[in-house]
Amino acid sequence: MTTSLLNHQNEVNGLVEQPNSSFKLSGGALACMVNSEIGAVLAVMRRNVRWGVHYASDDDQLEHSLITSFKELRKKIFSWQNHWHTIDPVLYLQPFLGVIKSDETGAPITGVALSSVYKILNLQILDSETVNVDNALHLIVDAVTSCRFEVTDPASEEVVLMKILQVLLACMKSKASVNLNNHHVCSIVNTCFRIVHQASSKSELLQRISRHTMHELVRCIFLHLPDLDYRRSQLACEEKSSSNVEVDAAAQSPTFEGKSKNEGCVPAESENEKSENVHGNDGTIKTDSSMMDPYGIPSMVEIFHFLCSLLNVMENIEMGPRSNPIAYHEDVPLFALGLINSAIELGGASFGNHPKLLALIQEELFYNLMQFGLSMSPLILSTVCSIVLNLYHHLRTKLKLQLEAFISNVLLRIAQSKHGASYQQQEVAMEALIDFCRQPMFVTELYANYDCDISCGNVFEGLANLLSRSAFPVNSPLSAMNTLALDGLIALVQGMAERIEHDSSSLGETFPELEEYSSFWTLRCDDYGEPLHWVPFVHSMKNIKTKLMIGVDHFNRDPKKGLEFLQGIKLLPDKLDARSVAFFFRYTMGLDKNLIGDFLGSHDEFCVQVLHEFARTFDFRDMNLDTALRVFLETFRLPGESQKIQRVLEAFSEGYFEQSPNILANKDAALLLSYSLILLNTDQHNAQVKKKMSEEDFIRNNRKINGGNDLPRDFLSELYHSICENEIRMVPDQGGPSSVLTRSHWIGLTHRAKQASPYIVSDSGPHVDYDMFAILSGPAIAAISVVLDHADDEDVLQSCIDGFLAIAKLSASYNLGEVLDDLVVSLCKFTTLLSPSFNEKSILYFADDIKAKMATVAVFTIANRYSDNIRSGWRNILDCILSLHKIGLLPARLASDATDELETSPENGQVKASATYSPATQVPATIPRKSSGLMGRFSLLLSLDAEEPAPQPSEEQLAARQRTLQTIQNCHIDSIFAESKFLQAESLSQLVRALVMAAGRPLKGNSSSEDEDTAVFCLELLIAITLNNRDRIMLLWQNVYDHIANVVQSTVMPCTLVEKAVFGLLRICQRLLPYKENLTDELLKSLQLVLKLDARVADAYCEQITQEVMHLVKANAMQIRSHMGWRTIISLVSITARHPEASEAGFETLSYIMSEGAHLSPANYILCVNAARQFAESRVGNVDRSVRSLDLMSGSIVCLVTWFYQTKEAAGEETAVKMAQDILEMWMRLVQGLRKVCVDQREEVRNHAILLLQRCLTGVDGISIPTELWLQCFDLVVFTLLEELPEMAQQQSAKDYRSMEGSMILSLKLMSKSFLQALHDLSQATSFCQLWLKVLGCMEKYMKMRFRGKRSEKIHELVPELLKNTLLVMKSSGILVPCDPVGGDSFWQLTWLHVNNIAPSLQLEVYPSEELEKLKEKHAKASCSPLPEGSVLVPPNETAV
C-alpha cells in the first residue's frame, strides 16, 4: 500500500511538472528501462490472488495471455538493443496496452501499466522518425481512452484516473503528436472531460489535476493553430465533419455520474451512452476522411464547438435582480470559460483565418458571453471580461458589432448598476472597462468605429460619461469604484497625451453646412487602412451623425416635423423619396421603433413605398425564413393592427422570395408561411394561451400553401422548433434591458455585422483625439477635482495630479485655452494659497499638507509648460504667487529679465547702482536692503512701523518653512516670468492684464502697507515682463503705461510704489530706446508722467530721476530725433536748474547735448537754448556754471551757421526755404535768451552774457539775416537791453553801480558794433532813419544819465568815440552825405541835430569845412538822397530815446 501511495504521489508530481527530455537513451538503456517496467507490472500482478495463483500452479494449465505477452517481450528486448530505433514500438507497447484495456485487471495493475506507457512517452523515445509511430500512438490513445479495470478502493481508482490523464497529456505533448489524427485528438479531449466530470464526486486533488490536464490539453492543441497552413485548413474546413465531441446537458446530469464503484469501470464505459445521445443509436463514432487526417482545423473546430456548447446550459436560466447568485452551478461554465480563454490566448489572431472557428466566436461564443456577462456571479463576469479582452486584442477587426454589444449592453450597464447589479459586479465591470482603456488604441478605435458610425451608438461618449459620473464620490471617503473610475479617466487622457507627443497636428475639423442632400447611409471609405483616408471620413460622418441625432429627437417627438427638419439640414432630399426615408429608418440609431412600425404599416401610398424600399435594404440570401423574419422584425415593432401586419409581411415576403426562392414556390407562399410563424410565435410564447399548438398542428395548418403543394415536413418541423425554442421578440420596450440579448436579437445583430463597415484599426497617431478630448475634458476635470477634494491617499492624489497634467498637455496642444483655464482654476483651489486666512502661520499646515503641495507644484508646472495657452487662468496663478510673496516664500530673483546681462557692462554699472538705490527712509535701518536692479524688491514682507522685534520662530516652524521653501523651489516660479518673452501674444496680454488687475487693487481706497507691498511686487513683475518683451512692446505698452500713469497721478506722498513706477518707466525707456526707433516718441512721451508728479514726490526723487535721464540721454541721444521727444527730455532737465541736488546732473545732461553741438538739432535747438538760459539764470550752482551755460548758448551759433550753409546747398527746395526760416527764428530766440541773462544781478554773469550776445550778433556772417529781422533784433534785444540796464542801475547801491557801469559800457559797445555789423543791410531799409535816430537817442540818453547827481565819466568818454567811429563808417559808406530835401528835414540835418546834442565838435572832426563844401556841391548836382526811396524821416522832436 505504501508503494502504491508513493507511486501515486510521484505520478502526480510528474503530471504537474513534466521533464522535457532532450537527450537520447542508448539501445541498451532502453532495453533495461523496458525490462524494469515489465518487472514492475509482473510484480504487482503477482500480489493479486487471481494472477498469483495462476502464476504458481503446477498443473499443465497455460498462463494467462497477459502474462505470456510480457514474458515473450522480455525474451526479445535485449536482442533489440543494437537496433532499437528500427523496432516497431507496437511490439514493446502492446503488452502494457493489453493490461490497460483488460477488464480483468485491478486498479493497481492498470495503474502500473499506465505509468510504464507514460514513462516511455515522457522520455521522448517516440518521435516523428520512429518506425510506425502513428500506429503506436493510435493504439495508445485507443487503449487509454477505453481503459477498463476493477475498482477495489476509491484511492486506487483515483490514481488510475490521474495516470490516464498523464498518459493522454503526454501523447499530446510528445514530439510524435503530429501523427495523431483529428479523431484521436477529439477522443483524448472527450476522455479527459469525462474524468473531469466524474472527478466532481472524487477528491479535491483529482478534481484539480483533471481540470489542470484539460487546460494543458487545450493549450497544447490550440498552440498548434498559428502554425497550420491556411490553404490546408481552408480545404479541411470545407469538408463536412460529422464527428462531434459535444457534451450536452445530459453529460452534466446525475445519470452520468451515477456509476457504481463496484463495477470496476472507468469513464470509457459511458461512451456508448454518450454516443447514443450525441452520435447515434449504433454506439459508434461516425467518421469521415477529414477526421482521419493529421490533427488540425477539423478537430479544433469540434473541440471549440464542444467548449462553447458547455455554456448552453445557461441559455434558459432566467437572470434578474431577484435571482439567487448561486442558484445555478457556476462550476461548469467557469471551467468552460477558462478553457475557451486558454484556446483564444494561444490561437490568437489565427482564429480569424479559419471561417468555421471565426463563425463559432462571432455567433455562438459571443452570444453566450453576453448571457454570462449578465449573470449574477462576479467570478463568471470577470472570466468573461478576460475572454472578451483577448478577443478584442486578437480579433477585433472581425467582431465590430459584437464588441459594441458587449461593451454597451454588458459592461456599461452593469457598471451603471442596471439590472440590479451588485457592487461586486459593478466593480468587476469597471475593472474590465479600465483594462480596455489601457489598451493603446482602444478609445481611438472605439470613437472612430462606433461614435462616428451612424448605425452604431456613441460608445466612447457613454464610456466617458460613465467614468466621469462614477468617479464622483457620493459620500466621503472614496470607494473602490470611485478610484477605479478615476484610473479609467486618467488612462484615457494619459493615452491621448502620449500620442500627442508624436503628432499634434490633428486638430478638429470644421465642416461647412451641407448645401444639398447626398446619400451617405451606406457610404464607405476608400481605404480603411490609411489614416489620410479614414480620418477625414470619420470626421465627416461624425458631423453628419451629430446633426442626424438632433433629427432623431425631432422625429421621436413628431415624425412629420422630424423629416422636415432633416430636409432643412440636407440630410434628406428636398423632395422626399421612399428610398432615402427607408435608409433613414434602417441605418439610424435611436429611432422610436414603435413610430417606425406605425409609419411602415400605414396605408398611405408614400409609406407603402417606403416599406417596400425598407424591405429591400435587407440581405436575405442563404437565410432560413424564420431567421430572416427575426432579422426583419428586430428593426422595428410590428404594429398590432392586422391590416398593418398584412402590409408589412407582404413587403417582407416579396423581398425574401426575391433573394431566397429555394424551397418556396412564390411570394404568396412566403407571405402565408410568415403569417403562420407570427401566429405560432404568439401561440407558443403568450402566457394567456393555455393550449399550445403542436408540431402536427403547425404542419397541418401549412398544407398546400406552396403553390398548391406541401412544403417539406423537415423544413416545417425545423421552423416549428426554432420558433418554440427562441421567441421572435417584438421589441417590447425602447432600449429595454433585453435589447440585443435574446437569441432573436442576436441573430439580427450577426446579420447586421456581415453588412457593417470594416473595423478601423488605428496606428499610434492622435487622429481623432481632438474630438474625443472635446467630449471628455469638461467631465474629466470636474470628476478629478471632486476626487482630489475627497482623497487623502497619496497614490490617489498623485493619480489626480497626473490626470490634470495630461489634460493640461492636451489642452495646450489643441489650443483649448478655456479648458486649460478651467483646469488652472480647479487646481488653484487645492493649493490653499487662495484662502483669505493664508498667512505666516499657515506655513505649518501647508508644509504637511501633501495635497496642497502637490497641487501647488502642478499649478506652476502647468504655468511653466503650457503658459502659451493660459488666458484668464493667469489671475488665479498670480493670486497664488501673491500669497507666497506675502509670507516671503518667493525666490530672491523672481523678476529677472532678458537684458540683465547688460547691467554688468562697465558703461552701465553706474546706471544700475543709481537706479536701484532707494532712499534710506524707505528701509528700516536694522535690515540691510537687498538691491538687485530696479526689480530687486523680493524679500520678506517688512513691516515699516514695527517697533517690537518679531519673536524667534520655533524649530518646528523653521523646519516647516524649509519644507515649504523646497516645494516652492520645485515650482520654478521664476521661470514663468523669465521666459515670458516666448509667450504667445494672447497669453502674454492676458498675463499683463492680470498683473495690472492684481497691482491695481491697492490703489483703490485706503491701502495697508501689505497692500502696497503687493502693488510694488506686481509692478516689478510688470516691468520685468515689459523688458523681456521689448520686441513686441506695443502689445503690452498701453496697459503698462496706463497702470504706471495711474500710480503716478494718484500718489501725493513719496512711497516705494511711486518710486518703482517712475524708475521702472525710466528703465523701460533706457532699455527699449536703442532697439525701437519707431517707438522713440511714444516712449519719451510717457516720461511726461514724471512732470506730473506731485511736488513733494518729485522733490524726493528729483536727483535720481535726473541721473536716470542723464544716462538715458547719453546712451540714446542719437535715437531721439523728434521735437516732442526732445521737449520731454529737456523739460525734465530744465526743472532741475533750481534744484540743489539735481542741478549738477541736469547741467551735465544739457552739456552733453549742447557741447560742440554734439547732439543739437533743429528739433531741440530752441529747447536747449531755453534750458541753458534757465541754468544761466539759476543761482543754485556757482557763477561758473552760469558762465558755462552761457557758453553753451553762444557756442550753438556754430550749428546755426552750419545748418544755414546746408540749406544754401539745397537752394530752391521748399524744405530748404522752410529750414532757413527756422534757423533765423532759432537765432532770434538765442539772442533774446542771451539778452534776458544780460540783466542778471551777478556782474560776471551779466557781463559775460553781454559779450556773448555781442558775439552772436556780430558773428553771423554765415547766416543771411534779412533787414526786417535786424530791425526786429534791435528793437527787441539791443534797445531793450540798453533801456533795462539804466533802470537796474538806478536801483543799485553805490557799490554795485560800478559793476552796472561796466555792463552799460559793454552794452553800448554791443549796440555800436552790431549796428556797424548790419549797417549795409540796415541802410537799405525804409525805416533805417528811424533806427539810426534810435541809436543816437540811446547814446544821448546815456550821455545825460546821472547816478545820484553824478555822471559817468567812462560813458562820457566812450559815447563820443563810438559815435565818431559810427559816423566815419557811415561817411565812408556814402550813407551820411549833405542833401537838402524839398519841404522837409533831411537825414543829414537830423543826424547832426542829434550829434550836436551829444558831442558838438564831432561834425568838424568827421567833416572838415573844405570837404563839407565839396560834398554839398557834388550832391546838389546829383539831387539824390543817400537814403532809399520811401525812407521815413523822424522830426527832431520825435526822436526815439
Side-chain angles (χ1 to χ4, degrees):
M1 188 64 177
T2 303
T3 304
S4 175
L5 290 176
L6 182 61
N7 289 338
H8 172 196
Q9 186 61 43
N10 289 338
E11 296 302 336
V12 169
N13 292 337
L15 178 65
V16 176
E17 187 176 350
Q18 299 176 7
N20 185 15
S21 302
S22 58
F23 59 90
K24 286 284 186 180
L25 294 174
S26 63
L30 288 172
C32 292
M33 185 270 292
V34 173
N35 184 61
S36 66
E37 294 304 316
I38 294 171
V41 175
L42 290 176
V44 176
M45 293 179 72
R46 291 192 193 100
R47 295 175 58 186
N48 187 281
V49 175
R50 179 196 305 174
W51 302 100
V53 171
H54 252 322
Y55 189 72
S57 62
D58 294 331
D59 57 14
D60 297 331
Q61 184 179 359
L62 296 176
E63 293 181 328
H64 195 280
S65 60
L66 293 177
I67 295 176
T68 304
S69 63
F70 279 112
K71 289 184 176 181
E72 291 297 325
L73 177 59
R74 194 171 238 176
K75 294 176 183 177
K76 299 175 182 178
I77 55 175
F78 289 102
S79 63
W80 298 340
Q81 58 184 335
N82 294 327
H83 50 93
W84 185 270
H85 292 290
T86 64
I87 303 302
D88 186 348
V90 174
L91 296 176
Y92 53 83
L93 285 172
Q94 193 63 55
F96 298 99
L97 300 180
V99 172
I100 293 171
K101 290 192 291 185
S102 173
D103 55 1
E104 297 179 10
T105 56
I109 299 171
T110 304
V112 174
L114 286 167
S115 296
S116 299
V117 174
Y118 172 72
K119 189 172 184 179
I120 293 170
L121 290 171
N122 201 39
L123 291 176
Q124 301 294 336
I125 296 173
L126 304 181
D127 56 30
S128 56
E129 297 177 359
T130 303
V131 178
N132 200 26
V133 66
D134 51 348
N135 188 40
L137 284 176
H138 296 167
L139 290 174
I140 293 173
V141 173
D142 288 339
V144 176
T145 54
S146 59
C147 174
R148 302 171 185 278
F149 61 93
E150 292 181 354
V151 177
T152 56
D153 61 89
S156 299
E157 180 187 8
E158 290 188 14
V159 170
V160 173
L161 293 177
M162 283 190 282
K163 289 183 177 181
I164 290 173
L165 295 172
Q166 269 187 325
V167 174
L168 292 178
L169 182 58
C171 284
M172 288 305 305
K173 290 192 173 185
S174 168
K175 293 179 179 179
S177 62
V178 293
N179 298 94
L180 288 171
N181 60 36
N182 289 305
H183 171 72
H184 284 111
V185 171
C186 291
S187 297
I188 290 172
V189 174
N190 184 24
T191 302
C192 286
F193 180 76
R194 288 175 176 277
I195 296 176
V196 169
H197 191 68
Q198 187 175 357
S200 60
S201 60
K202 308 295 182 183
S203 68
E204 181 74 15
L205 180 63
L206 180 61
Q207 292 178 36
R208 292 184 179 276
I209 289 180
S210 62
R211 287 172 180 256
H212 173 79
T213 304
M214 193 71 181
H215 275 284
E216 287 295 311
L217 277 176
V218 170
R219 291 190 188 104
C220 186
I221 292 167
F222 283 93
L223 184 62
H224 185 51
L225 179 59
D227 300 330
L228 292 176
D229 178 71
Y230 177 73
R231 293 182 181 177
R232 174 186 162 193
S233 66
Q234 190 78 344
L235 180 63
C237 286
E238 288 174 358
E239 300 178 10
K240 186 177 179 181
S241 173
S242 60
S243 177
N244 196 347
V245 294
E246 179 181 348
V247 178
D248 58 9
Q252 291 96 32
S253 64
T255 307
F256 183 80
E257 300 176 5
K259 179 179 71 66
S260 170
K261 297 179 183 179
N262 295 328
E263 292 176 355
C265 299
V266 298
E269 292 188 354
S270 301
E271 187 171 351
N272 288 342
E273 177 187 350
K274 180 179 185 304
S275 298
E276 289 177 6
N277 290 334
V278 178
H279 300 301
N281 296 327
D282 58 355
T284 62
I285 298 177
K286 301 175 183 179
T287 61
D288 60 18
S289 59
S290 67
M291 294 304 290
M292 294 297 108
D293 292 337
Y295 89 92
I297 295 302
S299 60
M300 293 181 188
V301 170
E302 294 301 330
I303 292 168
F304 199 75
H305 183 265
F306 159 63
L307 297 179
C308 293
S309 69
L310 294 177
L311 303 177
N312 290 336
V313 68
M314 292 297 301
E315 187 169 341
N316 297 315
I317 295 180
E318 287 293 328
M319 304 292 171
R322 297 185 179 179
S323 302
N324 185 348
I326 52 174
Y328 60 91
H329 198 264
E330 67 178 16
D331 190 54
V332 172
L334 268 178
F335 176 57
L337 290 169
L339 294 175
I340 291 170
N341 196 32
S342 295
I344 294 170
E345 285 174 344
L346 294 172
S350 298
F351 275 94
N353 298 329
H354 306 287
K356 286 191 175 181
L357 286 173
L358 181 61
L360 284 171
I361 293 174
Q362 290 173 325
E363 298 172 14
E364 186 169 359
L365 174 61
F366 236 106
Y367 172 71
N368 285 319
L369 293 178
M370 295 285 291
Q371 295 289 335
F372 279 102
L374 295 173
S375 72
M376 302 305 291
S377 168
L379 187 56
I380 288 180
L381 176 60
S382 178
T383 308
V384 167
C385 292
S386 298
I387 294 173
V388 175
L389 183 61
N390 276 319
L391 289 172
Y392 165 80
H393 182 73
H394 296 297
L395 298 170
R396 60 183 180 275
T397 57
K398 315 284 187 181
L399 302 170
K400 178 177 178 178
L401 297 191
Q402 289 87 345
L403 287 169
E404 179 198 11
F406 185 81
I407 294 170
S408 299
N409 295 283
V410 177
L411 295 183
L412 292 181
R413 292 190 177 191
I414 291 178
Q416 292 170 3
S417 189
K418 293 185 178 180
H419 303 294
S422 65
Y423 180 82
Q424 288 79 11
Q425 285 176 286
Q426 293 178 53
E427 199 169 353
V428 171
M430 187 65 75
E431 287 172 346
L433 284 170
I434 294 165
D435 287 339
F436 276 107
C437 291
R438 290 189 176 119
Q439 303 307 304
M441 299 310 298
F442 170 73
V443 289
T444 299
E445 294 174 3
L446 200 68
Y447 182 81
N449 286 290
Y450 305 122
D451 291 57
C452 297
D453 189 331
I454 59 173
S455 299
C456 299
N458 291 332
V459 185
F460 169 77
E461 195 170 334
L463 174 63
N465 291 334
L466 168 72
L467 293 176
S468 302
R469 288 196 304 269
S470 300
F472 275 82
V474 179
N475 296 306
S476 197
L478 293 174
S479 66
M481 278 290 288
N482 300 141
T483 307
L484 278 173
L486 175 70
D487 290 343
L489 273 178
I490 292 172
L492 291 184
V493 294
Q494 286 184 330
M496 295 181 194
E498 289 172 5
R499 290 192 289 274
I500 206 69
E501 291 179 358
H502 308 293
D503 177 17
S504 60
S505 61
S506 179
L507 299 179
E509 297 184 27
T510 57
F511 295 90
E513 295 295 326
L514 298 175
E515 296 181 359
E516 60 181 13
Y517 168 77
S518 177
S519 181
F520 56 85
W521 308 100
T522 56
L523 199 61
R524 293 289 184 268
C525 177
D526 295 334
D527 186 356
Y528 283 93
E530 173 53 55
L532 292 176
H533 288 87
W534 70 255
V535 173
F537 176 77
V538 299
H539 277 144
S540 175
M541 295 306 293
K542 180 60 178 177
N543 178 52
I544 292 174
K545 184 177 181 180
T546 302
K547 296 177 180 178
L548 193 61
M549 291 301 102
I550 301 173
V552 168
D553 291 337
H554 284 283
F555 179 88
N556 289 342
R557 290 195 295 269
D558 187 329
K560 183 178 179 181
K561 291 183 178 179
L563 295 177
E564 290 175 354
F565 174 81
L566 290 168
Q567 286 178 287
I569 59 175
K570 306 301 180 183
L571 294 183
L572 285 177
D574 294 335
K575 184 178 180 180
L576 277 182
D577 63 84
R579 185 175 178 81
S580 298
V581 177
F583 281 157
F584 172 61
F585 290 157
R586 177 78 168 89
Y587 297 111
T588 305
M589 291 288 292
L591 290 172
D592 187 327
K593 296 189 177 183
N594 293 317
L595 295 176
I596 298 176
D598 291 337
F599 190 98
L600 296 177
S602 174
H603 66 278
D604 180 80
E605 182 180 353
F606 180 73
C607 294
V608 173
Q609 293 175 5
V610 173
L611 172 61
H612 284 271
E613 288 291 345
F614 182 77
R616 292 190 187 98
T617 63
F618 292 86
D619 182 7
F620 294 135
R621 288 173 296 181
D622 302 324
M623 198 180 290
N624 288 338
L625 181 65
D626 67 312
T627 302
L629 192 59
R630 293 176 193 276
V631 170
F632 184 68
L633 296 179
E634 193 259 338
T635 56
F636 63 96
R637 181 174 184 178
L638 189 66
E641 299 178 24
S642 59
Q643 291 180 344
K644 292 185 176 182
I645 294 174
Q646 176 77 16
R647 280 189 288 271
V648 170
L649 291 182
E650 283 177 357
F652 164 75
S653 302
E654 181 179 335
Y656 180 78
F657 180 74
E658 288 175 359
Q659 299 181 48
S660 297
N662 300 332
I663 296 177
L664 301 173
N666 51 46
K667 64 179 181 180
D668 292 334
L671 172 62
L672 292 172
L673 189 55
S674 300
Y675 219 112
S676 181
L677 290 177
I678 295 294
L679 294 175
L680 175 64
N681 187 72
T682 305
D683 176 86
Q684 293 295 317
H685 300 287
N686 192 326
Q688 296 179 358
V689 179
K690 302 301 181 182
K691 186 178 180 182
K692 305 295 183 183
M693 187 186 302
S694 67
E695 182 178 345
E696 289 299 325
D697 293 336
F698 177 72
I699 295 173
R700 183 169 58 252
N701 291 342
N702 290 288
R703 286 178 181 171
K704 308 297 182 182
I705 66 170
N706 193 27
N709 298 318
D710 287 342
L711 289 164
R713 182 180 182 87
D714 292 344
F715 174 71
L716 292 174
S717 178
E718 182 181 354
L719 290 177
Y720 175 84
H721 288 290
S722 174
I723 298 298
C724 291
E725 294 170 5
N726 296 302
E727 177 187 2
I728 300 177
R729 294 294 180 97
M730 303 298 181
V731 194
D733 298 307
Q734 281 303 99
S738 61
S739 177
V740 198
L741 298 181
T742 64
R743 176 67 72 176
S744 179
H745 288 156
W746 190 256
I747 291 171
L749 183 141
T750 54
H751 169 72
R752 285 194 295 116
K754 295 173 183 176
Q755 298 177 322
S757 58
Y759 187 94
I760 297 171
V761 178
S762 177
D763 56 22
S764 59
H767 305 300
V768 292
D769 283 358
Y770 177 88
D771 303 310
M772 292 193 294
F773 183 66
I775 296 171
L776 183 65
S777 57
I781 291 175
I784 296 175
S785 297
V786 175
V787 174
L788 187 60
D789 189 29
H790 287 76
D792 295 317
D793 181 74
E794 188 170 351
D795 291 337
V796 176
L797 294 175
Q798 187 60 54
S799 295
C800 292
I801 298 301
D802 291 343
F804 273 140
L805 292 176
I807 293 173
K809 180 179 180 180
L810 289 164
S811 303
S813 299
Y814 291 130
N815 296 321
L816 297 174
E818 292 182 1
V819 175
L820 193 58
D821 290 336
D822 291 343
L823 177 59
V824 169
V825 170
S826 298
L827 259 178
C828 286
K829 295 176 183 176
F830 298 104
T831 63
T832 69
L833 299 176
L834 303 184
S835 171
S837 59
F838 191 83
N839 51 35
E840 187 76 31
K841 295 180 181 178
S842 305
I843 294 179
L844 280 174
Y845 303 102
F846 183 86
D848 297 322
D849 189 341
I850 296 175
K851 184 189 299 184
K853 291 196 293 185
M854 292 173 77
T856 301
V857 173
V859 165
F860 292 111
T861 299
I862 292 171
N864 273 297
R865 291 182 186 173
Y866 313 116
S867 52
D868 276 345
N869 300 90
I870 299 175
R871 300 292 183 264
S872 60
W874 281 122
R875 298 179 186 178
N876 302 79
I877 293 171
L878 283 175
D879 285 341
C880 293
I881 292 175
L882 292 177
S883 293
L884 294 172
H885 168 69
K886 288 175 183 177
I887 55 175
L889 291 175
L890 288 182
R893 196 61 190 139
L894 181 61
S896 61
D897 61 81
T899 53
D900 276 349
E901 65 272 9
L902 297 179
E903 295 184 352
T904 59
S905 60
E907 61 271 20
N908 287 312
Q910 183 60 31
V911 179
K912 180 177 175 71
S914 61
T916 58
Y917 180 75
S918 294
T921 56
Q922 297 297 318
V923 186
T926 56
I927 300 178
R929 175 70 174 258
K930 292 184 179 180
S931 178
S932 54
L934 286 176
M935 319 311 299
R937 231 182 94 82
F938 301 99
S939 56
L940 300 181
L941 180 62
L942 303 176
S943 177
L944 302 182
D945 54 356
E947 296 180 359
E948 297 182 2
Q952 291 297 319
S954 64
E955 290 186 6
E956 181 185 8
Q957 290 173 323
L958 289 173
R961 188 176 188 84
Q962 190 60 37
R963 292 196 300 275
T964 304
L965 284 171
Q966 183 60 46
T967 300
I968 303 306
Q969 184 178 352
N970 294 337
C971 293
H972 304 292
I973 299 175
D974 52 337
S975 299
I976 298 173
F977 303 100
E979 301 299 319
S980 64
K981 55 180 170 290
F982 302 116
L983 278 179
Q984 289 185 1
E986 180 61 24
S987 179
L988 180 62
S989 298
Q990 292 288 348
L991 173 58
V992 169
R993 290 193 190 102
L995 272 171
V996 169
M997 287 185 64
R1001 294 169 198 157
L1003 298 176
K1004 300 173 182 177
N1006 297 327
S1007 58
S1008 63
S1009 60
E1010 184 177 278
D1011 290 335
E1012 183 191 353
D1013 193 70
T1014 297
V1016 170
F1017 177 74
C1018 291
L1019 180 61
E1020 290 175 329
L1021 289 179
L1022 193 62
I1023 293 170
I1025 290 172
T1026 305
L1027 294 174
N1028 272 334
N1029 292 275
R1030 65 189 182 199
D1031 292 332
R1032 44 183 177 169
I1033 181 66
M1034 291 312 296
L1035 190 68
L1036 323 173
W1037 180 243
Q1038 194 58 49
N1039 285 320
V1040 175
Y1041 174 79
D1042 289 345
H1043 177 63
I1044 293 177
N1046 190 19
V1047 172
V1048 169
Q1049 295 172 3
S1050 62
T1051 308
V1052 295
M1053 292 295 291
C1055 63
T1056 307
L1057 181 60
V1058 73
E1059 175 193 354
K1060 295 297 181 184
V1062 171
F1063 291 108
L1065 182 61
L1066 286 165
R1067 188 182 188 200
I1068 290 172
C1069 291
Q1070 286 178 357
R1071 292 291 185 86
L1072 299 186
L1073 280 175
Y1075 304 99
K1076 294 291 178 181
E1077 292 186 12
N1078 58 325
L1079 298 178
T1080 301
D1081 290 346
E1082 187 72 25
L1083 291 169
L1084 293 176
K1085 182 181 176 182
S1086 68
L1087 293 179
Q1088 293 177 8
L1089 288 175
V1090 179
L1091 302 173
K1092 299 178 183 179
L1093 283 170
D1094 184 273
R1096 289 166 290 188
V1097 177
D1099 184 65
Y1101 304 118
C1102 189
E1103 182 179 6
Q1104 294 98 317
I1105 291 172
T1106 310
Q1107 290 282 351
E1108 292 300 312
V1109 173
M1110 178 180 67
H1111 297 302
L1112 185 148
V1113 170
K1114 288 185 176 181
N1116 303 287
M1118 296 298 294
Q1119 278 75 36
I1120 307 172
R1121 295 187 177 90
S1122 71
H1123 175 73
M1124 180 182 294
W1126 278 115
R1127 185 174 63 185
T1128 304
I1129 294 294
I1130 302 303
S1131 297
L1132 291 170
V1133 172
S1134 299
I1135 59 175
T1136 66
R1138 290 174 174 79
H1139 194 281
E1141 291 84 12
S1143 60
E1144 184 63 35
F1147 181 73
E1148 184 179 345
T1149 306
L1150 186 63
S1151 299
Y1152 178 80
I1153 298 170
M1154 297 185 68
S1155 293
E1156 298 179 359
H1159 298 290
L1160 278 176
S1161 68
N1164 67 3
Y1165 184 86
I1166 295 175
L1167 296 169
C1168 290
V1169 167
N1170 290 336
R1173 179 182 60 79
Q1174 292 182 47
F1175 276 98
E1177 293 173 342
S1178 171
R1179 298 196 178 190
V1180 170
N1182 52 31
V1183 173
D1184 183 59
R1185 183 190 297 167
S1186 297
V1187 171
R1188 284 188 289 144
S1189 300
L1190 292 170
D1191 289 338
L1192 291 176
M1193 295 175 70
S1194 174
S1196 67
I1197 193 71
V1198 177
C1199 292
L1200 296 180
V1201 174
T1202 303
W1203 298 337
F1204 197 86
Y1205 178 76
Q1206 293 170 353
T1207 61
K1208 284 184 178 181
E1209 292 181 345
E1213 295 183 10
E1214 185 178 346
T1215 53
V1217 174
K1218 177 67 170 61
M1219 185 63 190
Q1221 294 174 351
D1222 291 342
I1223 292 171
L1224 294 174
E1225 174 67 19
M1226 295 175 206
W1227 174 77
M1228 189 64 186
R1229 293 290 187 92
L1230 171 64
V1231 295
Q1232 285 180 313
L1234 284 171
R1235 195 272 305 167
K1236 292 179 181 179
V1237 188
C1238 288
V1239 292
D1240 193 277
Q1241 297 293 335
R1242 296 167 295 175
E1243 178 185 9
E1244 186 178 348
V1245 174
R1246 182 173 63 246
N1247 292 343
H1248 193 68
I1250 295 171
L1251 290 173
L1252 293 180
L1253 177 59
Q1254 176 182 317
R1255 184 184 302 171
C1256 291
L1257 291 172
T1258 59
V1260 289
D1261 293 337
I1263 303 176
S1264 300
I1265 299 177
T1267 305
E1268 293 78 8
L1269 190 60
W1270 273 119
L1271 293 172
Q1272 185 181 358
C1273 178
F1274 269 89
D1275 284 339
L1276 299 178
V1277 178
V1278 178
F1279 296 146
T1280 302
L1281 175 61
L1282 291 170
E1283 289 174 1
E1284 290 177 345
L1285 287 176
E1287 292 175 1
M1288 285 181 63
Q1290 296 298 330
Q1291 299 171 6
Q1292 301 294 327
S1293 63
K1295 180 180 180 182
D1296 294 332
Y1297 176 75
R1298 293 179 182 177
S1299 65
M1300 288 303 300
E1301 183 181 32
S1303 300
M1304 288 188 286
I1305 291 171
L1306 291 175
S1307 65
L1308 287 170
K1309 291 180 179 179
L1310 177 148
M1311 180 183 68
S1312 177
K1313 291 183 178 181
S1314 300
F1315 182 77
L1316 293 176
Q1317 172 73 23
L1319 180 59
H1320 176 73
D1321 294 328
L1322 291 173
S1323 65
Q1324 305 302 317
T1326 56
S1327 58
F1328 174 69
C1329 185
Q1330 290 179 326
L1331 177 66
W1332 169 238
L1333 293 178
K1334 284 184 180 181
V1335 172
L1336 293 175
C1338 286
M1339 291 182 176
E1340 185 177 349
K1341 178 182 178 180
Y1342 271 70
M1343 286 292 289
K1344 297 177 180 178
M1345 187 171 59
R1346 297 284 188 274
F1347 182 75
R1348 296 187 179 181
K1350 296 180 180 180
R1351 69 178 187 178
S1352 171
E1353 294 299 330
K1354 292 182 179 180
I1355 292 176
H1356 266 260
E1357 293 176 2
L1358 176 65
V1359 170
E1361 182 181 346
L1362 293 176
L1363 182 56
K1364 179 181 178 181
N1365 186 46
T1366 304
L1367 291 171
L1368 290 172
V1369 173
M1370 292 175 68
K1371 171 186 173 183
S1372 63
S1373 301
I1375 296 172
L1376 183 62
V1377 294
C1379 186
D1380 295 323
V1382 180
D1385 294 331
S1386 68
F1387 179 76
W1388 173 268
Q1389 292 173 335
L1390 289 173
T1391 299
W1392 295 115
L1393 180 61
H1394 285 279
V1395 171
N1396 290 334
N1397 292 333
I1398 300 171
S1401 62
L1402 279 180
Q1403 185 172 4
L1404 291 176
E1405 293 180 19
V1406 176
Y1407 287 99
S1409 301
E1410 298 82 7
E1411 185 179 351
L1412 180 61
E1413 290 297 329
K1414 291 178 181 179
L1415 285 173
K1416 285 181 179 181
E1417 291 176 3
K1418 182 180 178 182
H1419 283 282
K1421 292 178 182 179
S1423 298
C1424 64
S1425 172
L1427 298 180
E1429 186 179 353
S1431 296
V1432 179
L1433 299 178
V1434 182
N1437 56 350
E1438 295 182 12
T1439 303
V1441 178

